[in-house]
Amino acid sequence: MIYNLLMERHTVKIQGFNVDSFTFDEALNFIDKGQVVTINPEMIQTASKTPEFAEIINAAELVIPDGIGVEIGLKILGNNVRRIAGIEFGRKLIDKFAGYPTAFIGAKPEVIHKAVGNLKKEVPNLNAVYIQDGYFKDDNKILNELKTANPKLALVALGSPKQEIFISKAKKTLPETVFIGLGGSFDVWSGAVKRAPEIYQKIGLEWLYRTMKEPQRFKRIFPTLPLFVLKVLKERVTGV
């Protein structure tokens, strides 16, 4: 069975946003349709300034704590919720829905095709019914094509908040589809980018490894991460 009908959502709040407190396996068993948001401090910062984006996050069917900063923030607030890496969750969704129609949207043309090719070697019954790179200008055209393809699972790697906005439109016409925004995951699956060594992943410092490998990410991480932690500390003290 794909979906556990007896499961209910249990969420905790951070900076005004609900985050699901599921374990990895519970989240995987829970989601059968709708939008999965892989939330991190940068997304929370953007959403705090962008009401449209905030509404999308709040309307998502599942919000998993992707960023280590969110896990730290939740612990500061007294919630022992473990990080669920978006790339790993997306990969497990592919296994879960293997054989069902699956769509891939985002990244460079050569990257997405290589990523799907590599995934087919790992998942022989992967049913990729729609493959579209991220270099399109007409959302409506892609949404119409996606509706025709009618996937059960759609993995969207357009970067945030673009991918979440796109998904919020798509799920209106495909309410039975599972959508997840996965940022740079296709680059990793294609082999164009290597993930951090496992030790970095286990101790929650994958972001540091990536920043060392891609120094241009530094401006994106700082001062966002430390400011986020300070805001959460204030939230614990004041409740706001």
Side-chain angles (χ1 to χ4, degrees), residues 66-81:
D66 180 25
I68 186 63
V70 176
E71 179 180 332
I72 293 171
L74 289 171
K75 285 182 178 177
I76 290 172
L77 296 173
N79 300 301
N80 188 25
V81 179

Side-chain angles (χ1 to χ4, degrees), residues 7 22-31 62 64 84 89:
M7 293 185 71
F22 290 131
T23 64
F24 190 110
D25 288 340
E26 287 171 344
L28 192 64
N29 290 331
F30 173 79
I31 192 67
L62 180 66
I64 59 175
I84 298 176
F89 195 75

Side-chain angles (χ1 to χ4, degrees), residues 6-143:
L6 300 178
M7 293 185 71
E8 295 182 0
R9 289 185 77 182
H10 296 281
T11 61
V12 292
K13 275 194 179 294
I14 185 167
Q15 295 291 285
F17 295 96
N18 287 324
V19 177
D20 286 275
S21 59
F22 290 131
T23 64
F24 190 110
D25 288 340
E26 287 171 344
L28 192 64
N29 290 331
F30 173 79
I31 192 67
D32 179 60
K33 59 185 177 182
Q35 181 171 10
V36 181
V37 169
T38 58
I39 201 164
N40 60 36
E42 297 160 82
M43 293 170 68
I44 290 175
Q45 181 188 52
T46 301
S48 67
K49 301 175 182 178
T50 314
E52 177 193 10
F53 188 37
E55 288 177 12
I56 289 170
I57 293 175
N58 287 327
E61 282 66 31
L62 180 66
V63 180
I64 59 175
D66 180 25
I68 186 63
V70 176
E71 179 180 332
I72 293 171
L74 289 171
K75 285 182 178 177
I76 290 172
L77 296 173
N79 300 301
N80 188 25
V81 179
R82 297 295 301 275
R83 175 186 179 234
I84 298 176
I87 187 172
E88 294 171 11
F89 195 75
R91 180 63 183 79
K92 286 297 183 181
L93 283 175
I94 292 173
D95 287 336
K96 176 178 177 176
F97 293 104
Y100 288 83
T102 301
F104 295 83
I105 303 168
K108 297 177 181 178
E110 63 273 19
V111 167
I112 190 171
H113 286 285
K114 185 67 183 295
V116 174
N118 288 343
L119 288 167
K120 283 182 177 179
K121 295 175 185 177
E122 298 175 12
V123 188
N125 57 337
L126 175 62
N127 184 14
V129 296
Y130 187 73
I131 302 173
Q132 169 63 51
D133 65 69
Y135 291 80
F136 58 87
K137 295 182 179 180
D138 188 348
D139 279 12
N140 289 330
K141 176 178 180 294
I142 305 304
L143 290 169

Side-chain angles (χ1 to χ4, degrees), residues 92-201:
K92 286 297 183 181
L93 283 175
I94 292 173
D95 287 336
K96 176 178 177 176
F97 293 104
Y100 288 83
T102 301
F104 295 83
I105 303 168
K108 297 177 181 178
E110 63 273 19
V111 167
I112 190 171
H113 286 285
K114 185 67 183 295
V116 174
N118 288 343
L119 288 167
K120 283 182 177 179
K121 295 175 185 177
E122 298 175 12
V123 188
N125 57 337
L126 175 62
N127 184 14
V129 296
Y130 187 73
I131 302 173
Q132 169 63 51
D133 65 69
Y135 291 80
F136 58 87
K137 295 182 179 180
D138 188 348
D139 279 12
N140 289 330
K141 176 178 180 294
I142 305 304
L143 290 169
N144 287 332
E145 292 175 355
L146 197 59
K147 183 178 180 180
T148 300
N150 193 27
K152 178 57 185 173
L153 172 65
L155 304 107
V156 185
L158 299 172
S160 184
K162 185 177 179 181
Q163 63 195 14
E164 285 78 27
I165 294 171
F166 178 86
I167 289 171
S168 71
K169 298 175 183 177
K171 76 175 186 179
K172 292 176 182 177
T173 55
L174 290 169
E176 298 301 313
T177 300
V178 174
F179 292 92
I180 183 170
L182 287 175
S185 297
F186 292 179
D187 294 287
V188 176
W189 292 338
S190 72
V193 174
K194 289 185 178 181
R195 276 198 82 183
E198 191 171 348
I199 183 62
Y200 282 85
Q201 297 177 36

Side-chain angles (χ1 to χ4, degrees), residues 231-240:
K231 286 180 179 179
V232 174
L233 287 168
K234 179 184 175 184
E235 181 179 352
R236 177 175 178 173
V237 173
T238 65
V240 179

